[in-house]
Amino acid sequence: MNRYIRYASVLSASLLLFLTTGCWSSNEIEDVSVIVGLGLDIANESRFERDINQQGASYPKKKVLTATVQIVPPITGKNEKKSGGSSSSPSKAYLNEQLTGDSVFQIFRQFSLRRDRPLVAHHLKVIVVSSELARRYSLEQIFDFILRDNDIRPSCLVVVSHRSALEALSSNEPGEIPALYLMGLVDNRYRSNKIIPPMSLIKLDSTMQSGESFLLQNVVTAQGEHKFSGAAIFKGSTKKWIGELSQYDLEGLLWVMEDVKGGSLKTYAPKTGHTVTYEPKNSHSTIIPKVQGDEISFHIKIESEGRLIEDWSFPEIPSSGQYINELEQQFEEEARKQIEQVLNKMQHVYHVDVGGFGDQVRIKHPKLWKKVKENWDETFSHAPITYEVKMNITDFGSSTD
Amino acid sequence: MSSTNNSTHDQITTSQAAVMIINYMLGAGILTLPRTTVEAAKTPDVWISILISGLIILLSGMIVVSLCRRFQGKTWFQFVPEITGKWLAFVLSLLFIGYFITISAFEIRIMAEVTGLYLLEGTPVWAIVMTFMWIGLYLTTGGINSIARICEIILPITLVFFLVAILLSSNIFDIKNLRPVLGSGFMPVIRGLKPSLLSLTGYEIMFVAMAFMKSPKKGTKAMLVGITVPLVIYLITVIMVIGGLSINGVETRTWPTLDLMRSFEMQGLIFERFESLLLVIWIMQIFSTFTITHYAASLGWSQLLKKNIRPFLFILLPVIFLIAMIPKDVSETFKLGDTVGNMSIYLFGGLPLILLLISIARKKGVKPK
């Protein structure tokens, strides 16, 4: 009797061990295609697709968008069989695959019809949306699948490409993976005041839910190389692309929105016209909403400390208090010009608030905010805005004169 | 081990009792709490709701302790007949057992849902659930002391990993998302009370656990610690999640706390991603909640029918499994959770106070010194 119990317990213990191994559905990394970048363009069928469509290899769909997935590492041996427009030479560290359709999810699954290794999106880092597509469809529609999917992490970065997203995800540099490259650019914020705070999927989702207008970093591409330049403006009510801010605008806006901790501010010395450049080390900006009755106005206070980092004046003028004062005023003037330009664009060209003014009203005057929130972009574009800028040159780098 | 008298060797210390309360309270609620409170309140002020409900819970916890102290060494199932008479007590005890069974089924289901979505996609639900339940059964057959000891092992691990993971999210934290404080007045805070009360229930385990305490005098202390720790954890969670995702972001996420973990990556640290870490410790927490409730329900039956507890441990296992499989989808699961919570408010919100008053009026039990 006792022996039977012992046998039974050994048997059941080993049975339990089988069950606790856990990884029933593990996928070896060699057997999947890891995608790191996703590009979304307006429909533009690749040659491969056109060819197979002629052979009747199509399914019912509208031609709405073309999705590009960037796969790393490329599957060796398959490179000779160049597929469509998205060519890839063996030296490349990635492979771009394109398919067209009208459902992002269906396109994703459609890839399994032509790849023996299924796509996994756990490591998706960057999503590039072309401005053309974002102008036609609301981001809410384009991103619906992406926000629901449980593979894609909400930490994934979203940027807009000025031209096609495929271009932004292509590169001539051997060994470079464009998606990771774009991701890396965001880390340079401490060196440039032309990069907006990264918009991750989770932030995009909450911003879209809140109904505010917002910015997405803009990528321009030429000859297979990329650059962050300016930002794309999205209207809060439609979530569609409505325009762009230039680099110069963005500098002005970041003075207002952020505590700038790097970058440069260049202007020309008053009399001689020589280049002088200021490097902000620290800045602080406060947006103060003022309410009188139902009239809202804003006052912006910006104070910055930094160093005089470049001065082309010759012969150099000694760093006397008066000269420094003049330069400080010159830099303030330049920053005011940038701010004026971007405020003008926001208020009078695009009629959107993408500078966080509404947030300040929400925080400081929550009752009023409830009333104006529905029509905020319009209200904002009529609100008078004043600003004061204070630039303090606190040092001159390694050279004093 | 006799079923009616709690044998002397199966006892727990004061700290074990506190740890049991903490582990029981830290259940599935933490994964959804930010959303449920924000959905009700629609303002970022829900952390105030949680503070207030913490105070309410502390108060009811005190009532539970003072009621139990009048009946030393007896569980709810044993002392209620002395207060209300046999038949009413039988009904109350059945409700109590029903509550424990449902909550343990609910925890199991939530565990299955979350692991199915994020951790073990493709593994059949029964495979996850059954191993989980069988191991739980193995633990509960060891009695309340074994459960308390496993809680003691799990808790420090949970606290350390939880704090590390949630504090790492501070680089996406934005204080703007928590402002303005009380921007829409105090009403939203009150609306947020109910969901936060629901996730903070768990002190009711003292109705069972206190009978096993070596020094029941320290029940108050155990209750105090047992409620404060989860309260602080819930508070940190809600503040970090709303600060990171903003109330608009929280409202649309099914599992906001997990999504907070999924919203950042730390390059250079041993792990780049922390949601699996959080999930793993949370599965342990759900495991402890499950075993505690499973044990409490079985103990209830055994004491009601004055039989040995072992058969009930086995009998209840399939019952819990079946109840866990009743909800058809996630939203029905959440509804089940709400029902359990409502039950707990009726059962443990007012009832202990009434029972305490009756027992004082009818001079039942021993007046604690």
Side-chain angles (χ1 to χ4, degrees), chain B residues 259-296:
Chain B
D259 272 344
L260 178 77
M261 295 294 144
R262 284 156 48 83
S263 299
F264 65 93
E265 277 169 35
M266 287 276 159
Q267 269 168 19
L269 238 71
I270 312 166
F271 305 103
E272 254 181 48
R273 309 178 157 191
F274 294 90
E275 75 268 20
S276 0
L277 200 67
L278 185 85
L279 262 180
V280 168
I281 58 170
W282 233 263
I283 289 173
M284 295 196 296
Q285 283 306 318
I286 290 180
F287 178 72
S288 62
T289 309
F290 161 71
T291 44
I292 293 170
T293 44
H294 176 207
Y295 182 78

Side-chain angles (χ1 to χ4, degrees), chain A residues 204-220:
Chain A
L204 180 71
D205 188 29
S206 50
T207 315
M208 288 200 298
Q209 293 293 334
S210 74
E212 293 161 30
S213 301
F214 56 96
L215 293 177
L216 285 176
Q217 190 76 49
N218 202 19
V219 186
V220 288

Side-chain angles (χ1 to χ4, degrees), chain B residues 105 108 125-127 129-130 133 316-326:
Chain B
I108 286 229
V125 174
W126 61 263
V129 167
M130 279 193 184
M133 291 181 85
L316 283 189
L317 213 60
V319 177
I320 293 174
F321 176 77
L322 288 179
I323 297 177
M325 293 303 133
I326 288 176

